[in-house]
Amino acid sequence: MLPDPQSGHASLPVSGRSIDSVTGLVSMCRTLRPAADIARARRAKCDEALTIPASGPSAPRTRPSVGSMADSPRRPLPGWLLSGGAGVAAALFGAGLGELSAALFAQGGSPFTVIGSWLVDLAPPWAKDTAIALFGTNNKTALLVGIGIVLASLAFGAGVLEWRRPPFGRVVLVGLGVVGFIAATSRANATPLDWIPSAIAAGAAASALAVVLKRLPARPPTRADAPDEADRAVDIDRRRFLGWAGGAAAIGALAALGGYAMQAGSRAVTAVREAISLPTPATPAPPIPSGADLGINGLAPVVTPNDRFYRIDTALRVPDLEPADWSLRIHGMVDREVTLTWDELLALPMVEHAVTLACVSNEVGGSLIGNAVWLGAPIRDLLAEAGPSADADMVLSRSVDGWTASTPIEALTDDRQSLLAVGMNGEPLPAEHGFPVRMVVPGLYGYVSATKWVTELEVTRFDRAQAYWTPRGWSERGPIKLHSRIDVPRYGSTVSPGTQVAAGVAWHQHTGVAGVEVQVDDGPWEQAELATAISDDTWVQWRHEWQAEPGSRVLRVRATGADGEVQTEERTTVAPDGATGHHIITVQVA
C-alpha cells in the first residue's frame, strides 16, 4: 500500500491499478453502521419477547425459529365444544319461545312444567320417597334443577351430533318436542292448545341449531407466507359464531323471563287474596288453651305459622285459580248433582276448627306435619244436599290440576269436622296451600284427603275408581297412625350433666293422645308431662325431666292413644300407608 500524499489514506491496487482514495467507501460504511446497530437491537428485543422461559425467571431463553412460528398458529377451540355450546344455545332459544307462547295463549302448556309433571307422574314410589327424604319440601326445586341439567346435556349432545352427522342433532331436539307434546296432551286437565308451546319450542330449537352451526368457523389452511392473515380470518369467524350463539341464548333467556313475568301477572292471585275478607264463623274455634304451649325453646309451636307449614304435592307450578273462576261440582252416585260457586260457598255457615295435618311420607321423627286453625264449610252438609247413594263408600276429590284423592265416605259424613276450607290461621289460604279452596279431614293422611285447589267431589266406590297414589303402590285408605317425636334435645347435640328437659309432640288425630313416655338408655319407661290439648284432632306437646349422666345417652319416646293403643316399636317404612316405630335420638352428655 502506498500513502496518498493528499489524504493520508492508503491506496489499494485492484486489477492492476490502485484506488487513490477510499474516502467514499468509509463515508458509506459510517452511514450504514447505525442502521445495522438498530436492527440488531430490535432483533434482540424480539428474541426476548418471543421466548418462553423453561422454568422460572432465570431459565435460559430460546428464540423459536421463523418456520416454527409460522407453522404453529393460535390453537382454536375444538369443534365439539363449539357445536355442543350451539346445541345448548339453540335449546335455550326454543325453550324461551315455548315459555313465552305458553304465557300468551296456553298457560297450562309450559314445556318445562308439563315435562316435569309428566316425570313426576311416571316416577315410581321409591323415587318419590327418595326425593322427599333427600330434599324435603325442596323436592320440586331439586326436580326442576335436575330436569334442566338433563335437558342441557341432551342439547349439548344434539349440537355435537348435528355437527358430525346432520340432521340427527335436529332430530333429537324435535324428539324432545314430541316428549313435551305427549306430556301436555296426556294430562288430566289438558286443553286443546297445551301442545302448541312444546311444538314451538322444538321447531325453534331445531331451526336455531341449523342457523348457528352454519356460522361455525372452519380453520383454513395456513399460508406459510401469511399466517397472521389466516389467524385473523379464523378469529373473525369465531367471533361471528359466538355472536350468533350468544344472541340465540340471550333471546331465549329474555323470552323465558318475559313469559314468566306475564304468567305472574296473569296469575296475580296475591292481590285478589289480600282483598278477601273472610266471613265470621258461625261456629268459632275455642281459644287456644293457655297450657297448650309449653314455651320450650326448640319445641315446635302448638300452632304452625303458615310460612312454616310443610308443603308436599305434585304441582310443579302453583295453579292459577281466582275465586271468581272457582266452582265445585259434586256428582257421581248422588240423587242430584250440585254445583257451588265461591260466593255461594262463603254464604254457607262457616266452622272454625284446629286440625293437625300429616304427610304419609313423614318418617318417624320427621317434620312433614303441621297444626293450623282452619275455616270452612262442613263437607257433610254439602254431601247431604247431593244425596249420596247408600252403596257409595268413597269420595274421589279432584284438584284443578287433575290430582285425585280417595277419601272413605264415612270420614266426610260422620261427626268429625271435615271442611271445605277457605281460611288458615285467620287469613285466606296461601296459594301454595290450596287457595282458594282445599279439603281438610282430621284423622287421615293428606294423600287420601287434603286435596288442594279442589274443584270436584265424585261420590263413588273403591272398586270403581282409583286415586292418584293408589296405582303407584299406596294404600287406598290412609288413617293416621299414633306417633310421637322428640324435638328437644336435638339428635347428636351435647348437653350438660344434671337435670335436663326432653320435649316434643305426639298425635293421633280424631282419637287423641292419653299419655307419653320417655326412656333413657335401657332404663324404665317414665311418664312425661302433657300440655293441654287443643282437641283430639291436634297434636299435643309434652315435656320430661331426666338425669343426664356423662357419656353417650339414648332417648326414646312412645305415646298412648285415648283408645288405649300403645305406639308400636316395630320399625316400618312410609310405604304403603305410613311409617311406624319409636323416635330414638342419641345425645352426648359432657
Side-chain angles (χ1 to χ4, degrees):
M1 289 187 182
L2 297 175
D4 186 293
Q6 296 187 14
S7 65
H9 293 290
S11 63
L12 298 175
V14 179
S15 301
R17 57 191 182 95
S18 63
I19 301 176
D20 294 336
S21 175
V22 293
T23 303
L25 179 62
V26 171
S27 176
M28 180 178 68
C29 290
R30 287 175 178 174
T31 302
L32 293 176
R33 185 179 296 115
D37 292 342
I38 293 173
R40 282 195 297 272
R42 287 179 176 174
R43 282 198 300 272
K45 294 189 72 175
C46 288
D47 289 344
E48 183 178 359
L50 293 173
T51 301
I52 300 175
S55 177
S58 61
R61 297 176 180 269
T62 304
R63 183 177 186 273
S65 66
V66 174
S68 66
M69 289 175 61
D71 296 337
S72 301
R74 186 186 309 168
R75 180 187 295 272
L77 293 174
W80 65 266
L81 182 61
L82 292 174
S83 59
V88 175
L92 183 56
F93 177 78
L97 293 186
E99 294 295 332
L100 182 60
S101 62
L104 291 172
F105 52 80
Q107 293 185 16
S110 161
F112 215 66
T113 301
V114 296
I115 291 177
S117 299
W118 188 56
L119 293 177
V120 169
D121 292 345
L122 293 178
W126 64 264
K128 173 246 187 189
D129 297 337
T130 301
I132 293 177
L134 291 176
F135 305 107
T137 55
N138 294 318
N139 60 333
K140 296 176 186 61
T141 301
L143 173 63
L144 292 174
V145 171
I147 292 173
I149 293 173
V150 170
L151 292 179
S153 301
L154 291 174
F156 188 95
V160 176
L161 185 60
E162 180 69 16
W163 174 55
R164 293 180 174 174
R165 292 285 189 273
F168 292 110
R170 282 171 283 169
V171 171
V172 171
L173 295 181
V174 172
L176 292 176
V178 172
V179 172
F181 174 89
I182 295 173
T185 55
S186 61
R187 297 165 65 231
N189 60 335
T191 68
L193 300 179
D194 282 353
W195 63 272
I196 297 179
S198 292
I200 291 176
S207 301
L209 181 60
V211 171
V212 173
L213 281 185
K214 285 183 179 179
R215 275 74 183 173
L216 186 65
R219 182 162 186 91
T222 303
R223 291 171 50 195
D225 60 340
D228 292 340
E229 286 78 0
D231 282 345
R232 280 195 293 270
V234 172
D235 285 342
I236 292 172
D237 287 345
R238 184 186 299 113
R239 286 195 294 268
R240 184 180 295 114
F241 166 80
L242 294 176
W244 277 85
I251 292 173
L254 291 175
L257 291 175
Y260 287 132
M262 290 175 63
Q263 292 188 55
S266 65
R267 295 197 305 262
V269 295
T270 300
V272 176
R273 175 180 173 272
E274 291 176 350
I276 291 175
S277 178
L278 294 176
T280 301
T283 306
I288 303 297
S290 58
D293 197 319
L294 297 176
I296 297 175
N297 187 34
L299 177 59
V302 67
V303 176
T304 309
N306 290 355
D307 59 355
R308 292 173 54 187
F309 207 94
Y310 79 96
R311 179 197 168 195
I312 296 293
D313 52 54
T314 62
L316 293 182
R317 178 174 294 173
V318 175
D320 172 22
L321 186 59
E322 295 190 13
D325 300 324
W326 177 87
S327 66
L328 178 74
R329 178 181 173 228
I330 304 175
H331 62 103
M333 299 173 62
V334 295
D335 294 337
R336 65 197 67 83
E337 186 171 311
V338 174
T339 300
L340 193 69
T341 67
W342 170 257
D343 290 336
E344 291 171 338
L345 174 62
L346 293 189
L348 296 175
M350 291 282 158
V351 172
E352 195 175 45
H353 190 63
V355 179
T356 297
L357 299 183
C359 179
V360 71
S361 296
N362 196 35
E363 299 280 357
V364 173
S367 60
L368 301 181
I369 182 171
N371 184 54
V373 179
W374 309 90
L375 175 70
I379 297 177
R380 62 173 172 269
D381 295 343
L382 300 174
L383 290 177
E385 183 179 349
S389 169
D391 293 333
D393 61 3
M394 185 257 278
V395 173
L396 188 71
S397 54
R398 186 180 303 275
S399 169
V400 70
D401 65 357
W403 187 85
T404 54
S406 57
T407 308
I409 196 169
E410 63 269 17
L412 302 177
T413 55
D414 61 16
D415 61 351
R416 76 186 78 189
Q417 294 291 9
S418 298
L419 301 177
L420 206 59
V422 297
M424 179 180 183
N425 290 333
E427 61 184 61
L429 291 171
E432 64 273 16
H433 290 296
F435 181 82
V437 184
R438 68 170 296 165
M439 290 174 60
V440 174
V441 182
L444 298 180
Y445 284 118
Y447 82 104
V448 295
S449 66
T451 305
K452 302 174 184 177
W453 315 288
V454 61
T455 58
E456 285 187 41
L457 298 179
E458 180 185 357
V459 179
T460 182
R461 292 181 54 84
F462 281 106
D463 58 8
R464 297 184 185 178
Q466 285 187 322
Y468 181 89
W469 286 113
T470 305
R472 291 168 173 82
W474 295 85
S475 172
E476 61 186 10
R477 300 169 185 263
I480 289 181
K481 297 176 179 179
L482 175 63
H483 270 285
S484 55
R485 186 182 77 194
I486 302 172
D487 288 352
V488 179
R490 295 294 181 186
Y491 179 87
S493 63
T494 300
V495 300
S496 301
T499 302
Q500 293 290 336
V501 174
V505 289
W507 59 92
H508 197 198
Q509 293 91 312
H510 197 55
T511 299
V513 175
V516 171
E517 296 171 286
V518 176
Q519 183 186 52
V520 180
D521 294 332
D522 294 324
W525 287 98
E526 298 180 353
Q527 286 290 335
E529 173 191 347
L530 285 183
T532 304
I534 298 175
S535 74
D536 289 343
D537 291 336
T538 67
W539 61 12
V540 59
Q541 294 183 351
W542 60 266
R543 69 185 300 275
H544 177 68
E545 293 185 355
W546 60 288
Q547 294 302 312
E549 298 181 359
S552 179
R553 296 289 171 251
V554 177
L555 276 68
R556 298 176 177 84
V557 63
R558 71 182 182 188
T560 301
D563 58 357
E565 178 188 357
V566 178
Q567 183 180 345
T568 180
E569 65 178 341
E570 180 183 0
R571 201 74 177 226
T572 63
T573 61
V574 296
D577 58 358
T580 63
H582 294 165
H583 187 207
I584 304 172
I585 68 167
T586 301
V587 297
Q588 300 298 319
V589 180

